[in-house]
């Protein structure tokens, strides 16, 4: 076996199939999508083949050597080095041969060791056209290996070719040197004519037929809104049963552990109300997250999201936001961090910064439990499931609608940016590949469990501690006596245990803090309990539901589907007897969470992308102010 690995970079135009091929060769699970701009960072993996170690690098796509965006600079730097890769695998889409050869001719001029991996050969065959592999290899002067990544076809032959080329003395090939731009297109066209045998009677492709409807200026937008509505309605209705199983399991586990630690109340409360409830409160979000990403991955794989970006360009263009921003904004519906990073696809620095600053306005998955809790507790019981689904859809739409005027103000008043022409390759429609959908679901679930889940558990324990202390037997005895004096109807509705828990929370360190800040949130219709939940969620909004479970004396194991927490919220009142949660309060609370920047990880990601704390601080303060203003307007209008 060789001592040093051979460095192999997978390069080519966006959406040529590089990441699918990288996954097939290395066994990796990198995210794949049927539209340009999915890969924005260099990713590496090591494999062995025929006793040779290969260090494989998947890099973002490039249309030419003129890198104009951050992701393209990442790709170009990886190609140029130092250290430069030993072998370049040029992933070439045979259905777009002429256009993809433009960048190939630029790479070939530097005479690197090159192998061409030919993709989309099966798609070409379906059109009735044919190609000549030997002629292509002869004209380019490099090995050409057809591959179908998701089936593993051609993978071994490609690895053999990589090893063979790595041992060659030079990177000579058949591409002429010093071509002008016009000559490159001319050369690419000649190669296409030599290699491709067109179909005898070219028919209108299925993709073009579908695009006549889905990209129509009126019907396209209506269908887009309908698809998004069905997506969020599905999340609301499909996750319930699985969440019930998770809730039952952690309830059973808490009961068991509570029985084993009955002799030590503080340890019992720490384990049951803090640790187990925190873990359960984190994992109960998984079904919704998995469903959301499965549906988004299916739309990605079908090629529809590229059309959605095309439609969004028309919708967002007037405010200076390019349709190319749709990809990072869509990513932000899952999590703002990949959305912020995906803004690297924006070629203009000011457009990129504007996209980064509004990306966290999109409703990420961490906001979803807040919506479902409030909708299930307040909206659905009063207005029915139809309005419940509509409210969930509206909360996700709100961030996008607010982002438009925000970008307009940023572009005209702060950044002084200009709108650039929107250029995006529209891939052909295809059935989503199950492996790609699975990878997307798995990777998102893993990220949630290992990062957000960790934060939720840690914050749940912290909130438990600040809610549990200070504690004295004297105060507990006073509250028992107070409970004994309550009316029979009250004692029938509220158990002594929950009454003591509420009094304890109210007089705890967290409760004292909540009452201190209540005046600031009272204009929004929030009392000390809601104010405390908001402040507790500033490091990470994922903890808000478990926080409310503790604050409303139901324990941190409560989730957005918990009947006890919903009932307690419905019965919660102000000291003067008014209901705390009206539909207006519920909507205002959701609007606050929809617009507020409550995620330290997102701020850290923005700091990394903007090389300083100036823009993260700006984003935090403007979104917090926007959230407060939005909730106040809801209270005013309601």
């Amino acid at each position: 076996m060789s001592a040093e690995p051979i460095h192999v970079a997978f390069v080519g135009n966006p959406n040529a199939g590089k990441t699918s091929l990288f996954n097939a060769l290395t066994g990796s699970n990198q995210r794949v999508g049927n539209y340009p701009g999915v890969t924005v960072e260099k990713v590496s993996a090591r494999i062995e083949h025929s006793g040779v170690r290969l260090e494989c690098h998947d890099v973002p796509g490039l249309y030419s050597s003129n890198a104009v965006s951050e992701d393209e600079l990442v790709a170009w730097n990886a190609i140029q080095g130092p250290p430069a890769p030993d072998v370049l695998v040029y992933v070439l889409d045979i259905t777009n041969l002429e256009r993809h050869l433009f960048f190939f001719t630029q790479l070939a001029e530097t005479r690197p060791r090159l192998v061409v991996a030919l993709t989309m050969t099966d798609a070409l065959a379906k059109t009735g056209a044919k190609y000549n592999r030997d002629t292509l290899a002869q004209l380019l002067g490099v090995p050409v290996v057809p591959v179908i990544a998701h089936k593993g076809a051609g993978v071994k032959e490609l690895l053999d070719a990589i090893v063979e080329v790595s041992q060659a003395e030079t990177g000579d090939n058949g591409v002429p040197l010093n071509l002008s731009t016009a000559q490159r297109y001319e050369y690419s066209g000649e190669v296409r004519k030599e290699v491709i045998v067109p179909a005898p009677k070219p028919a209108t492709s299925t993709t073009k037929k579908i695009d006549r409807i889905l990209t129509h200026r009126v019907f396209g937008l209506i269908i887009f809104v309908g698809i998004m509505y069905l997506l969020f309605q599905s999340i609301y209705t499909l996750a319930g049963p699985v969440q019930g199983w998770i809730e039952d399991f952690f309830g059973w586990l808490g009961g068991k552990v509570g029985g084993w630690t009955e002799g030590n109340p503080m340890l019992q409360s720490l384990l049951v109300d803090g640790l187990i409830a925190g873990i359960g409160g984190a994992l109960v979000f998984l079904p919704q997250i998995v469903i959301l990403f499965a549906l988004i991955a299916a739309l990605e794989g079908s090629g529809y999201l590229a059309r959605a970006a095309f439609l969004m360009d028309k919708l967002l263009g007037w405010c200076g936001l390019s349709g190319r921003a749709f990809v990072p904004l869509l990513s932000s519906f899952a999590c703002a961090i990949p959305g912020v990073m995906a803004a690297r696809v924006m070629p203009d620095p000011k457009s990129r910064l504007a996209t980064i600053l509004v990306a966290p306005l999109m409703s990420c998955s961490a906001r979803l439990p807040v919506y479902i809790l409030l909708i299930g507790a307040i909206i659905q019981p009063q207005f029915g499931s139809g309005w419940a689904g509509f409210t969930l859809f509206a909360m996700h739409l709100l961030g996008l609608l607010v982002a438009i005027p925000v970008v307009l103000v940023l572009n005209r008043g702060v950044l002084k940016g200009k709108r650039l022409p929107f250029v995006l390759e529209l891939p052909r429609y295809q059935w989503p590949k199950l492996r790609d959908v699975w990878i997307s679901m798995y990777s998102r679930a893993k990220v949630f469990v290992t990062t957000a889940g960790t934060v939720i558990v840690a914050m749940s324990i912290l909130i438990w501690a600040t809610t549990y202390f200070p504690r004295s037997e004297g105060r507990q005895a006073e509250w028992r006596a107070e409970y004994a004096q309550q009316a029979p109807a009250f004692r029938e509705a509220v158990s002594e245990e929950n009454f003591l828990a509420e009094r304890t929370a109210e007089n705890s360190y967290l409760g004292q803090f909540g009452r201190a800040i209540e005046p600031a949130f009272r204009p929004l219709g929030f009392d000390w309990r809601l104010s405390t939940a908001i402040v507790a969620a500033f490091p990470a909004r994922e903890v808000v539901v478990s926080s409310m479970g503790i604050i409303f004396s139901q324990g941190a194991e409560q989730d957005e589907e918990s009947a006890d927490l919903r009932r307690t919220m419905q019965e919660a009142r102000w000291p003067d007897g008014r209901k705390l949660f009206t539909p207006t309060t519920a909507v205002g609370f959701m609007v606050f969470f929809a617009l507020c920047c409550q995620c330290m990880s997102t701020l850290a990601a923005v700091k990394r992308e903007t090389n300083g704390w100036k823009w993260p601080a700006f984003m935090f303060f403007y979104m917090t102010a926007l959230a407060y203003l939005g909730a106040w307007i809801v209270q005013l209008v309601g």
Side-chain angles (χ1 to χ4, degrees):
M1 184 180 297
S2 59
E4 294 295 326
I6 297 170
H7 288 265
V8 183
F10 292 80
V11 301
N13 282 196
N15 207 36
K18 296 183 297 300
T19 303
S20 294
L21 185 57
F22 177 83
N23 286 342
L25 263 65
T26 64
S28 300
N29 293 317
Q30 296 303 313
R31 181 169 164 247
V32 177
N34 188 20
Y35 61 89
V38 174
T39 304
V40 295
E41 284 193 307
K42 174 182 169 183
V43 179
S44 302
R46 283 194 174 187
I47 58 173
E48 291 180 8
H49 181 70
S50 300
V52 178
R53 289 194 298 167
L54 303 174
E55 180 97 19
C56 300
H57 308 284
D58 182 27
V59 301
L62 279 165
Y63 288 108
S64 73
S65 60
N66 181 28
V68 295
S69 60
E70 286 293 322
D71 62 324
E72 291 182 349
L73 283 173
V74 168
W76 189 241
N77 290 335
I79 294 170
Q80 293 290 90
D86 299 303
V87 177
L88 295 180
V89 175
Y90 193 87
V91 183
L92 196 157
D93 177 357
I94 189 66
T95 62
N96 291 296
L97 181 61
E98 187 172 340
R99 181 163 53 78
H100 283 222
L101 278 178
F102 183 89
F103 182 40
F104 179 85
T105 62
Q106 292 181 318
L107 281 181
E109 278 192 347
T110 60
R111 298 303 191 237
R113 296 182 177 89
L114 265 168
V115 176
V116 166
L118 208 57
T119 60
M120 309 292 180
T121 53
D122 50 346
L124 182 76
K126 289 179 182 176
T127 67
K130 298 178 181 177
Y131 74 99
N132 191 316
R133 167 190 172 180
D134 294 336
T135 302
L136 181 61
Q138 185 180 3
L139 291 171
L140 301 183
V142 300
V144 174
V145 182
V147 294
I148 302 177
H150 67 278
K151 295 180 179 177
V155 168
K156 182 180 180 303
E157 293 80 358
L158 180 61
L159 289 171
D160 289 340
I162 292 171
V163 172
E164 184 179 344
V165 168
S166 72
Q167 296 167 353
E169 291 295 329
T170 68
D172 287 341
N173 53 65
V175 177
L177 293 171
N178 302 320
L179 295 174
S180 65
T181 300
Q183 288 171 327
R184 290 187 197 285
Y185 281 118
E186 185 180 351
Y187 171 80
S188 301
E190 290 173 355
V191 172
R192 179 186 57 78
K193 290 176 184 174
E194 291 286 333
V195 172
I196 302 292
V197 180
K201 293 181 179 179
T204 304
S205 68
T206 304
T207 291
K208 288 184 179 178
K209 292 177 182 175
I210 298 174
D211 273 345
R212 287 173 185 167
I213 302 173
L214 294 188
T215 60
H216 190 274
R217 62 177 62 187
V218 177
F219 300 128
L221 284 174
I222 294 173
I223 293 171
F224 170 73
V225 173
I227 289 174
M228 292 297 111
Y229 177 77
L230 288 176
L231 187 149
F232 291 112
Q233 188 69 267
S234 300
I235 296 168
Y236 187 75
T237 55
L238 297 180
V242 183
Q243 288 181 304
W245 300 336
I246 296 174
E247 184 183 338
D248 291 345
F249 171 75
F250 280 96
W252 170 83
L253 184 62
K256 286 290 183 185
V257 174
W260 297 334
T261 56
E262 205 166 19
N264 190 328
M266 190 178 79
L267 179 63
Q268 181 191 52
S269 181
L270 171 62
L271 294 178
V272 176
D273 298 331
L275 186 60
I276 295 176
I279 297 172
L283 293 183
V284 80
F285 299 154
L286 263 181
Q288 294 159 342
I289 290 170
V290 166
I291 291 171
L292 173 66
F293 284 106
L295 296 175
I296 289 179
L299 290 174
E300 284 179 347
S302 71
Y304 177 72
L305 288 191
R307 275 74 184 179
F310 174 74
L311 293 168
M312 287 299 102
D313 184 65
K314 295 179 179 178
L315 198 64
L316 304 177
W318 64 274
C319 67
L321 200 59
S322 163
R324 200 162 183 171
F326 179 72
V327 174
L329 294 184
L330 181 74
S331 300
S332 299
F333 275 105
C335 175
I337 295 171
V340 167
M341 294 177 63
R344 295 177 183 180
V345 301
M346 308 293 292
D348 175 57
K350 291 182 178 178
S351 298
R352 176 171 171 254
L353 181 56
T355 305
I356 288 174
L357 292 176
V358 298
L361 284 171
M362 304 304 111
S363 277
C364 66
S365 56
R367 290 173 168 115
L368 187 59
V370 183
Y371 300 155
I372 291 180
L373 173 64
L374 271 296
I375 291 171
I378 310 299
I379 305 299
Q380 186 172 8
Q382 296 192 40
F383 303 102
S385 57
W387 279 103
F390 175 78
T391 306
L392 184 64
F393 169 66
M395 284 299 119
H396 283 84
L397 188 62
L398 177 66
L400 183 61
L401 294 178
V402 171
I404 293 173
V406 170
V407 167
L408 185 66
V409 172
L410 287 174
N411 274 331
R412 296 190 178 178
V414 181
L415 303 176
K416 310 290 185 184
K418 294 186 299 184
R419 183 172 184 264
L420 298 178
F422 176 51
V423 179
L424 183 72
E425 176 185 345
L426 294 182
R428 75 182 194 286
Y429 290 106
Q430 62 183 19
W431 287 107
K433 297 181 177 61
L434 288 179
R435 174 182 164 79
D436 297 342
V437 174
W438 164 251
I439 288 174
S440 180
M441 289 168 49
Y442 172 77
S443 60
R444 297 300 185 188
K446 183 179 177 183
V447 168
F448 174 78
V449 171
T450 56
T451 57
T454 304
V455 172
I456 291 173
V457 172
M459 287 299 297
S460 294
I461 293 175
L462 177 63
I463 293 169
W464 167 84
T466 54
T467 309
Y468 191 84
F469 298 106
R471 181 173 292 242
S472 72
E473 287 301 324
R475 297 302 303 273
Q476 294 282 318
E478 289 177 18
W479 294 331
R480 284 195 184 91
E482 182 183 343
Y483 180 78
Q485 295 174 357
Q486 297 293 328
F490 178 86
R491 284 180 293 172
E492 188 175 341
V494 180
S495 67
E496 184 185 63
E497 182 183 4
N498 284 344
F499 181 81
L500 293 177
E502 186 173 345
R503 283 287 186 271
T504 301
E506 187 176 353
N507 290 275
S508 67
Y509 292 128
L510 192 65
Q512 294 172 35
F513 176 73
R515 286 203 303 275
I517 63 172
E518 181 185 305
F521 287 93
R522 191 169 290 169
L524 311 185
F526 305 160
D527 75 341
W528 71 270
R529 289 166 288 190
L530 299 186
S531 306
T532 303
I534 286 173
V535 174
F538 265 103
R541 57 177 69 88
E542 288 89 342
V543 304
V544 67
V545 174
S546 58
S547 302
M548 292 179 71
I550 294 172
I551 294 167
F552 281 90
S553 309
Q554 296 300 316
E557 74 275 13
Q558 303 299 314
D559 57 58
E560 67 276 20
E561 299 284 351
S562 298
D564 288 342
L565 178 57
R566 289 182 174 183
R567 178 181 48 77
T568 305
M569 290 170 59
Q570 291 164 358
E571 295 172 352
R573 295 182 181 277
W574 289 89
D576 60 6
R578 287 179 294 126
K579 277 193 171 184
L580 174 62
F581 281 103
T582 64
T584 302
T585 309
V587 172
F589 195 72
M590 287 188 283
V591 167
F592 189 94
F593 271 83
L595 302 179
C596 193
C597 183
Q598 295 167 299
C599 183
M600 292 178 64
S601 300
T602 298
L603 293 172
V606 174
K607 185 258 178 184
R608 190 181 71 167
E609 294 296 310
T610 59
N611 298 315
W613 282 107
K614 173 185 172 184
W615 291 113
F618 173 80
M619 187 174 75
F620 175 79
F621 285 111
Y622 103 75
M623 287 185 64
T624 303
L626 203 61
Y628 192 95
L629 180 64
W632 180 72
I633 291 175
V634 170
Q635 187 68 18
L636 199 65
V637 174

